[in-house]
Amino acid sequence: MQKIEAIIRTGKVDDVKHALEAIGKVSLTLTDVKGRGQQKGLKRQWRGSEYILDIIPKTKIEVVVPDGDVDAVVTAICKAARTGQIGDGKIFVIPVGKTIRVRTGEEGDAVL
Ligand SMILES: Nc1ncnc2c1ncn2[C@@H]1O[C@H](COP(=O)(O)OP(=O)(O)OP(=O)(O)O)[C@@H](O)[C@H]1O
Ligand SMILES: [Mg+2]
């Protein structure tokens, strides 16, 4: 079991949600986050002077899936979230030790 954590443009969340639904992945967690990547933010102009907006709002999508579904989910997210411009985001794949459905106490891939 793996957790796919994708930090993407907030404006791409609906596209990513639909792309995941299209491959049968409905359950997910969304969080408003702030961060920066390799450009250390954005350069902006205001009243003639330049300043750096170094922490930029993004959205984090978390999806936990069986190992065999990781590639399909990563591909779907990349395709839906990509604009080709800097700041499209990043995906981390993290091993998950255990999953439990609270209502029933079931464990494992079946609860995903
Ligand atoms: N190494 C990292 N560790 C944790 N969070 C990161 C890391 N890299 C990126 N992020 C998060 O992902 C967001 C988007 O990063 P971003 O797309 O700018 O990555 P990048 O490496 O700069 O790629 P690009 O050159 O396409 O902009 C950041 O705002 C930050 O929240
Ligand atoms: Mg960047």
Side-chain angles (χ1 to χ4, degrees):
M1 228 179 278
Q2 306 285 329
K3 180 164 79 168
I4 295 155
E5 206 171 278
I7 300 169
I8 63 163
R9 294 183 195 280
T10 301
K12 284 290 192 178
V13 167
D14 279 349
D15 289 348
V16 169
K17 245 169 41 186
H18 293 133
L20 289 172
E21 239 176 86
I23 57 166
K25 298 296 176 196
V26 178
S27 307
L28 51 78
T29 301
L30 293 179
T31 314
D32 292 328
V33 295
K34 292 178 198 166
R36 63 181 185 183
Q38 65 178 351
Q39 289 82 17
K40 296 202 285 184
L42 293 169
K43 282 204 186 80
R44 286 281 171 87
Q45 296 277 347
W46 194 73
R47 294 191 174 177
S49 50
E50 197 169 75
Y51 68 99
I52 305 258
L53 198 64
D54 80 327
I55 297 292
I56 298 166
K58 300 273 179 190
T59 299
K60 180 169 73 176
I61 297 187
E62 292 167 274
V63 194
V64 177
V65 301
D67 291 350
D69 292 353
V70 169
D71 289 348
V73 169
V74 166
T75 302
I77 294 173
C78 275
K79 211 172 140 198
R82 185 176 293 140
T83 68
Q85 305 299 307
I86 58 171
D88 272 352
K90 211 161 268 184
I91 300 175
F92 304 104
V93 180
I94 304 149
V96 171
K98 199 168 177 174
T99 304
I100 302 106
R101 175 175 283 124
V102 171
R103 176 172 55 86
T104 58
E106 294 163 274
E107 294 186 14
D109 284 3
V111 320
L112 299 175

